[in-house]
Amino acid sequence: MVDMICDYYSTVGQQRVKPGVEPGFLRGQLPASPPEQPEAFEDVLRDVQEKLMPGVVHWQSPSFFAYFPSNTSFPAALADMWAGALSMIGFSWAASPVSTELEMAMMDWLAELCGLPAAFRCNGGAGPGGGVIQGTTSEAVLVALLAARARALRGRVQADKLRLVAYSSDQAHSCFRKACMVAGVDHVRMLPTSAEHNWELQPEVLQAAIDADLAAGLLPCFVMATIGTTSSCAVDPVARLAPVAARRVSNGLGRAGGCGAWLHVDAAYAGAAALLPEQRSAHFGDLGAVDSYSFNPHKWLLVNFDCCALWVADAGPLKEALSLTPVFLQATGNALDYKDWQIPLGRRFRSLKLYFVLRMYGAEKLRAYLRHHIALAAAFAAALQADPRFELAAPQRFGLVCFRLRDVPRQVNAALLEAVNASGRLLIIHTELGGAYTLRLAVGSASTQLEHVEAAWEVIKGAADQVLRQHAERTAAEAPAAVPARA
Amino acid sequence: MVDMICDYYSTVGQQRVKPGVEPGFLRGQLPASPPEQPEAFEDVLRDVQEKLMPGVVHWQSPSFFAYFPSNTSFPAALADMWAGALSMIGFSWAASPVSTELEMAMMDWLAELCGLPAAFRCNGGAGPGGGVIQGTTSEAVLVALLAARARALRGRVQADKLRLVAYSSDQAHSCFRKACMVAGVDHVRMLPTSAEHNWELQPEVLQAAIDADLAAGLLPCFVMATIGTTSSCAVDPVARLAPVAARRVSNGLGRAGGCGAWLHVDAAYAGAAALLPEQRSAHFGDLGAVDSYSFNPHKWLLVNFDCCALWVADAGPLKEALSLTPVFLQATGNALDYKDWQIPLGRRFRSLKLYFVLRMYGAEKLRAYLRHHIALAAAFAAALQADPRFELAAPQRFGLVCFRLRDVPRQVNAALLEAVNASGRLLIIHTELGGAYTLRLAVGSASTQLEHVEAAWEVIKGAADQVLRQHAERTAAEAPAAVPARA
């Protein structure tokens, strides 16, 4: 298996990034029932290669530029093997002391690397805040919302939960809306953004929405800002949104009983860039007034999926929302029970991946790795801007470049995406920005080098030649038809 | 790493099952900050052995009899290595066709092995129902509850969600209450059970609770039955609970608009036993009227954590609860998008573990494996029953034996547990049954053999000698003190 994995990594760059299979491709190739008798490992591996691999999208290809990256590394894979071998289910300190304590330590290491506020440190469980590893950002946002809900409903009647409101920009990840659905928060405001402000949520827009909701008798409860949106890597101005979110809403029990809206920052992809001082000062600003913050080392920090880092400045509301243990019985300090910080009871020993990655790369190499990708994205953006047929659809941020052919109908850009991906030589996806069809190229696969970005640009230029020629031909062919037939 | 894992499995049986560390043991041993420069793999491994391993609870020890087992196997580990190497994030068919299609096929294989109703089959996405792999039972129960909530609220106003009621027995896993907290279902009935009925939820108890809630104007929405409770492996009579749960509650829009309560069956641990025809007929009965059913192959079916199998007879309400895509845009058939069947967006390629395990063991060996553990538990129960000092606290079911020293104060049984675990030679935990302190020994580690169960029994007998002697001494010493001092 180790050989197979090494072979895979050494050849994945030559394979079609996206397979040509159609829905249902696999079903007829598998027996309808599982076997009664054992089958040989070699037979299973042969079927993996012959039947399963043709249906794989190669997220580890150096020419995978779709979605956001899903980094893997040998240190993380080795750690995962060991974690799987142990298979401790570390829901409580007692069930697996080392899982709990290494997780606290690694979340502190990561907080330090990212320059996060001191309030987010576990400090061995001594403080009110701390970090926890969730599976995905969806779970991190959901537990942050549940904490927000618990805090907002303190001293209130249950019916008040019908009045809760959650806010984000219209660029926020879909997990924001999904979390609201799950938590039963019915009033969801996805506030408008615009090209003029680079798709960033403006404080005055949030302010106006909160004012309107307060006037209507609703309860602002949760604000999610994003650093690095999925569509365009827009960066909401967190430090300027914080005072707007923090406006205290009385619960009728006096000032002490009310609270402002909980401010969560979703930096799922871009959070890795906080390791770089220059990116931190440019895009992360002052996070001191943030209630919770999350990013995914499994995207762009060489930690295999899944590993989402979530920090809270005060874990109290989180435990109110998620612990079944009365507060006076809850473990504290080093004996904290992470089951009270997440939805599932069971949990894998995921901190070991962070431990291996942070030690075997070291901070300096990780920074170089991130700068390398950002430089590749900048190189792609520069090439694109030198070609007058193209335009950037948003400022290049982190490893993401959003672009389109200028002055053409949207179906020409859609045809461009299709032609690029049909080549099999790279994979990109599209998004919508202000209603405009936009292609996005996200640099960040662990093995991506300049040659891959240059090759991608060549494919894109060639596909542009083709679709623009077809567009010109079609326009020419249609032009006479625009003259009324009877004229 | 492979060598280290093999060494570990070959020696784990000789190690203390539970370490002697205290909270905070690790913090002082780790640097406060991550390193700037890379460190050698050998150095990391040495620290794993010297600093981390002393804090490990050996869930893979053949003498681990605590909680429920957390099975690992080489087929599952190999599959996990490959899944980790690919790190496809299979949220949609398009993002990873093979993940989606193999998952549908494996859930059908598993449904067949367990003799589950035809309505639960994916059939290539053709039917209304199907299976999906969740991370844990906590997540499976939560999504089932969310589906129930969505179905119950069809045609109703949002405020009706304040009237929803969920039911289980007081033996149900804590994830039931946690799911209700997350989903904001405020009326939670954990119905009483008793020794007389082996801690099983009685249909008339459910009936009375539902009647009372209906009379109070509430909306019964969700019933969770358990096959194999955590405390004692009680088996709720699912087929007899189903008609009680199914009583239709009108939503005021006529008969078509109302629905009964959603019936979920949690067979987290015991579900593996459904592979055995004799266990199936004894404990699983008719599941034909069940809305959803889940069990964890990661507990007792040799599939490394995490892998929770969830089936629904109708995925419609699930997607209503969890999909952001309007119904008319939702993918169907083989192109189904599993993101709409779960809370997170991202997901690992977990079906590959099932594929490797089911093929490399084959059904016959898996059945033999399960029967082996059940026979070991029966042997332990027989030994225990032959010792007049002990009593069974519940019927032995599956691999679990609940027991205690009879006719002694609870602290003597508590002292027994402490003495047994202090030996380091096995690990068991306790539970409460009807307020009585109860020890539980769960057989099911992959490497557990008769010798380990016999050795456990010897340790338990020896510890019983010790604590009963101490109890007798204390009783004797205290007896004169019971005479008033002034007499």
Side-chain angles (χ1 to χ4, degrees):
Chain A
M1 182 55 77
V2 172
D3 291 343
M4 189 168 143
I5 290 172
C6 292
D7 287 350
Y8 176 70
Y9 284 133
S10 66
T11 58
V12 63
Q14 283 93 63
Q15 300 195 44
R16 283 185 64 85
V17 184
K18 184 172 184 161
V21 296
E22 293 297 319
F25 80 95
L26 184 60
R27 197 176 180 212
Q29 299 187 68
L30 298 177
S33 304
E36 274 296 306
Q37 301 303 325
E39 299 186 84
F41 182 48
E42 294 67 32
D43 293 341
V44 175
L45 279 196
R46 197 187 54 239
D47 284 346
V48 167
Q49 293 294 359
E50 293 178 4
K51 296 173 181 172
L52 303 188
M53 290 307 291
V56 165
V57 172
H58 297 289
W59 285 66
Q60 302 314 314
S61 167
S63 300
F64 181 90
F65 300 107
Y67 311 106
F68 281 129
S70 168
N71 277 186
T72 59
S73 69
F74 282 111
L78 292 165
D80 231 11
M81 283 171 66
W82 187 242
L86 297 175
S87 276
M88 296 175 288
I89 312 301
F91 46 85
S92 66
W93 185 89
S96 175
V98 71
S99 307
T100 303
E101 301 208 9
L102 189 65
E103 187 159 331
M104 288 195 287
M106 289 306 100
M107 291 301 288
D108 279 4
W109 277 17
L110 203 53
E112 179 178 326
L113 281 177
C114 294
L116 298 183
F120 288 157
R121 303 294 169 94
C122 295
N123 289 327
V132 57
I133 302 176
Q134 306 278 332
T136 64
T137 294
S138 304
E139 292 162 77
V141 170
L142 176 56
V143 302
L145 176 60
L146 294 171
R149 188 183 70 177
R151 194 177 72 172
L153 290 176
R154 279 178 186 165
R156 294 189 181 273
V157 297
Q158 281 303 313
D160 282 338
K161 70 185 177 191
L162 298 175
R163 300 160 57 207
L164 299 174
V165 197
Y167 307 82
S168 74
S169 89
D170 58 8
Q171 301 296 306
H173 190 267
S174 61
C175 70
F176 167 75
R177 267 177 66 204
K178 191 158 176 171
C180 292
M181 285 168 68
V182 170
V185 172
D186 298 327
H187 305 283
V188 181
R189 314 286 178 236
M190 305 208 54
L191 303 168
T193 57
S194 67
E196 181 196 355
H197 293 109
N198 295 325
W199 317 106
E200 299 163 2
L201 178 58
Q202 297 304 297
E204 53 276 18
V205 173
L206 177 63
Q207 177 81 63
I210 288 179
D211 287 347
D213 285 326
L214 285 173
L218 299 178
L219 295 175
C221 155
F222 185 69
V223 174
M224 187 175 99
T226 307
I227 296 180
T229 61
T230 308
S231 272
S232 69
C233 275
V235 174
D236 291 336
V238 174
R240 288 163 54 223
L241 293 169
V244 179
R247 180 146 45 121
R248 190 177 285 268
V249 181
S250 167
N251 64 359
L253 297 176
R255 182 171 166 77
C259 65
W262 182 284
L263 178 58
H264 178 76
V265 173
D266 166 21
Y269 157 70
L275 267 77
L276 305 176
E278 68 277 18
Q279 292 287 327
R280 202 188 299 161
S281 60
H283 297 306
F284 292 77
D286 180 6
L287 300 170
V290 166
D291 291 293
S292 55
Y293 176 93
S294 60
F295 90 98
N296 295 339
H298 69 230
K299 280 196 165 69
W300 190 23
L301 204 60
L302 294 165
V303 180
N304 294 19
F305 187 88
D306 49 0
C307 179
C308 171
L310 168 69
W311 289 270
V312 290
D314 176 6
L318 201 65
K319 288 188 269 186
E320 260 175 76
L322 293 171
S323 178
L324 299 166
T325 313
V327 171
F328 60 92
L329 286 179
Q330 282 172 10
T332 53
N334 294 292
L336 70 80
D337 293 336
Y338 271 126
K339 68 182 171 55
D340 297 337
W341 294 53
Q342 62 176 22
I343 306 282
L345 179 68
R347 58 205 321 271
R348 305 175 80 227
F349 186 18
R350 288 183 291 217
S351 56
L352 197 67
K353 295 189 288 197
L354 281 172
Y355 184 64
F356 275 52
V357 166
L358 295 181
R359 289 191 65 181
M360 290 176 65
Y361 284 101
E364 195 174 290
K365 280 210 168 175
L366 291 172
R367 289 190 206 103
Y369 173 79
L370 295 162
R371 286 189 180 114
H372 166 66
H373 285 145
I374 294 172
L376 293 182
F380 178 80
L384 192 105
Q385 287 181 287
D387 185 326
R389 301 173 299 172
F390 286 93
E391 65 183 7
L392 282 185
Q396 179 240 325
R397 293 242 170 83
F398 313 111
L400 183 69
V401 183
C402 291
F403 64 100
R404 62 175 80 92
L405 289 166
R406 61 171 93 227
D407 303 328
V408 295
R410 64 180 282 127
Q411 64 266 28
V412 180
N413 275 303
L416 175 62
L417 181 85
E418 199 173 320
V420 167
N421 288 341
S423 76
R425 294 180 54 204
L426 70 155
L427 186 65
I428 55 177
I429 62 168
H430 87 284
T431 188
E432 300 282 332
L433 283 175
Y437 194 99
T438 306
L439 294 83
R440 61 194 283 300
L441 182 138
V443 179
S445 270
S447 56
T448 302
Q449 302 296 336
L450 183 59
E451 59 182 297
H452 304 108
V453 174
E454 287 175 347
W457 174 233
E458 289 304 317
V459 172
I460 292 167
K461 269 198 303 186
D465 292 342
Q466 173 197 326
V467 300
L468 286 172
R469 190 173 57 241
Q470 288 166 347
H471 174 57
E473 288 167 6
R474 209 166 35 238
T475 309
E478 282 166 5
V483 181
R486 288 169 191 266
Chain B
M1 183 54 77
V2 172
D3 292 343
M4 187 167 146
I5 291 172
C6 293
D7 287 350
Y8 176 69
Y9 284 133
S10 66
T11 57
V12 63
Q14 283 94 62
Q15 301 195 45
R16 283 186 65 86
V17 184
K18 184 171 183 162
V21 296
E22 294 297 319
F25 79 96
L26 184 60
R27 196 174 181 214
Q29 299 186 68
L30 298 178
S33 304
E36 274 295 307
Q37 300 304 324
E39 299 185 86
F41 182 48
E42 293 66 33
D43 294 340
V44 175
L45 280 195
R46 197 187 54 240
D47 283 346
V48 167
Q49 293 294 0
E50 293 178 3
K51 297 174 181 170
L52 304 188
M53 290 306 291
V56 165
V57 172
H58 297 289
W59 286 66
Q60 302 314 314
S61 166
S63 300
F64 180 90
F65 300 107
Y67 311 106
F68 280 130
S70 168
N71 277 187
T72 58
S73 69
F74 282 110
L78 291 165
D80 231 13
M81 282 171 66
W82 187 242
L86 296 175
S87 277
M88 297 174 287
I89 313 300
F91 46 83
S92 66
W93 185 90
S96 174
V98 72
S99 307
T100 304
E101 301 209 9
L102 189 65
E103 186 159 333
M104 287 195 286
M106 289 307 99
M107 291 302 287
D108 280 3
W109 278 17
L110 204 53
E112 180 179 324
L113 281 177
C114 295
L116 299 182
F120 288 156
R121 303 293 169 93
C122 294
N123 289 325
V132 56
I133 302 176
Q134 305 278 331
T136 64
T137 294
S138 304
E139 292 161 78
V141 169
L142 176 57
V143 302
L145 176 61
L146 294 170
R149 188 182 70 176
R151 194 177 73 171
L153 290 176
R154 280 180 185 164
R156 294 189 180 274
V157 298
Q158 282 301 315
D160 282 337
K161 70 184 178 192
L162 298 175
R163 299 162 58 210
L164 298 175
V165 197
Y167 307 83
S168 74
S169 89
D170 57 8
Q171 300 298 305
H173 191 267
S174 60
C175 71
F176 167 77
R177 267 175 67 204
K178 190 157 176 172
C180 291
M181 284 167 67
V182 170
V185 171
D186 298 325
H187 306 282
V188 181
R189 314 286 179 235
M190 306 208 54
L191 303 169
T193 57
S194 67
E196 181 195 356
H197 292 109
N198 295 326
W199 316 106
E200 299 164 3
L201 177 58
Q202 297 304 296
E204 52 274 19
V205 173
L206 176 63
Q207 176 82 63
I210 289 180
D211 286 348
D213 285 326
L214 285 174
L218 299 178
L219 294 175
C221 157
F222 185 69
V223 175
M224 187 175 100
T226 307
I227 295 181
T229 59
T230 307
S231 272
S232 69
C233 275
V235 175
D236 291 335
V238 174
R240 289 161 54 221
L241 293 169
V244 180
R247 182 144 46 120
R248 191 176 285 271
V249 182
S250 167
N251 65 358
L253 297 176
R255 182 170 167 78
C259 65
W262 181 286
L263 179 58
H264 178 76
V265 173
D266 165 20
Y269 156 70
L275 267 76
L276 305 176
E278 69 276 16
Q279 292 286 328
R280 203 187 298 161
S281 60
H283 297 305
F284 292 77
D286 180 6
L287 300 169
V290 166
D291 291 293
S292 53
Y293 177 93
S294 60
F295 90 97
N296 294 340
H298 68 231
K299 279 197 165 67
W300 191 22
L301 204 61
L302 293 165
V303 180
N304 295 20
F305 188 86
D306 51 358
C307 178
C308 171
L310 168 69
W311 289 271
V312 289
D314 176 7
L318 200 64
K319 288 187 271 186
E320 260 175 74
L322 293 170
S323 178
L324 299 166
T325 314
V327 172
F328 61 91
L329 284 180
Q330 282 171 11
T332 54
N334 293 293
L336 70 80
D337 293 337
Y338 271 126
K339 69 182 169 55
D340 297 338
W341 295 53
Q342 64 175 21
I343 306 282
L345 179 67
R347 58 207 320 272
R348 306 175 78 228
F349 185 18
R350 289 182 289 215
S351 56
L352 197 67
K353 294 189 287 197
L354 282 172
Y355 184 65
F356 275 51
V357 166
L358 296 181
R359 288 191 66 182
M360 290 177 65
Y361 285 100
E364 196 174 288
K365 280 210 169 173
L366 292 172
R367 288 190 208 104
Y369 173 79
L370 296 162
R371 285 188 181 114
H372 167 66
H373 285 143
I374 295 172
L376 293 182
F380 178 79
L384 192 103
Q385 286 181 288
D387 186 326
R389 302 174 299 172
F390 285 93
E391 65 184 4
L392 281 186
Q396 178 238 325
R397 292 243 170 81
F398 314 112
L400 182 69
V401 183
C402 291
F403 64 98
R404 63 175 80 92
L405 288 165
R406 63 169 92 228
D407 303 328
V408 295
R410 66 179 284 127
Q411 66 266 27
V412 180
N413 275 303
L416 175 62
L417 182 86
E418 199 173 320
V420 167
N421 289 341
S423 77
R425 294 180 54 203
L426 70 155
L427 187 64
I428 56 178
I429 62 167
H430 86 285
T431 187
E432 301 281 332
L433 283 176
Y437 193 97
T438 305
L439 293 82
R440 59 194 285 299
L441 181 138
V443 179
S445 270
S447 57
T448 303
Q449 301 298 335
L450 183 59
E451 60 183 295
H452 304 108
V453 174
E454 287 174 346
W457 174 233
E458 290 303 317
V459 172
I460 291 167
K461 270 196 304 187
D465 293 343
Q466 174 197 326
V467 299
L468 286 173
R469 190 172 56 241
Q470 289 166 346
H471 174 56
E473 289 167 7
R474 207 165 38 238
T475 310
E478 283 166 6
V483 180
R486 290 168 189 266

